[in-house]
Amino acid sequence: MPAIDLNRCTGCGWCVAACPPHVLSLHVLPGSGWGIKRAVLDDATGCTGCALCALRCPMDAIRMVRRAPKT
Ligand code: SF4
Ligand code: SF4
């Protein structure tokens, strides 16, 4: 699943558009008075791990990480 580096993310939305199951969206950062948006994985269970979001990100802000195995 994707790990999004919020310091690199510009909120461009390319990853949101690229995600087939639409589990990514842009959120306004809490406490950002200017309404700065960043990409957030809304539904981790819906993520297929396809990595299209990471490929699409122009800022190289998305790293694919292994999900911890369910116990
Ligand atoms: S594509 Fe990259 S920079 Fe753009 S919103 Fe997604 S994570 Fe942020
Ligand atoms: S890995 Fe695929 S399914 Fe998961 S958030 Fe990225 S584009 Fe969407």
Side-chain angles (χ1 to χ4, degrees):
M1 59 192 298
I4 300 167
D5 182 344
L6 296 181
N7 291 316
R8 294 185 72 96
C9 173
T10 62
C12 69
W14 280 109
C15 57
V16 176
C19 177
H22 305 293
V23 292
L24 290 167
S25 66
L26 292 177
H27 288 236
V28 176
L29 280 188
S32 74
W34 299 91
I36 297 168
K37 288 186 177 174
R38 293 292 181 260
V40 175
L41 180 64
D42 281 326
D43 177 11
T45 56
C47 171
T48 62
C50 68
L52 284 175
C53 53
L55 287 174
R56 198 69 193 84
C57 177
M59 300 306 294
D60 207 16
I62 302 181
R63 190 167 50 91
M64 294 304 290
V65 293
R66 233 169 248 288
R67 196 186 307 207
K70 290 196 178 75
T71 50

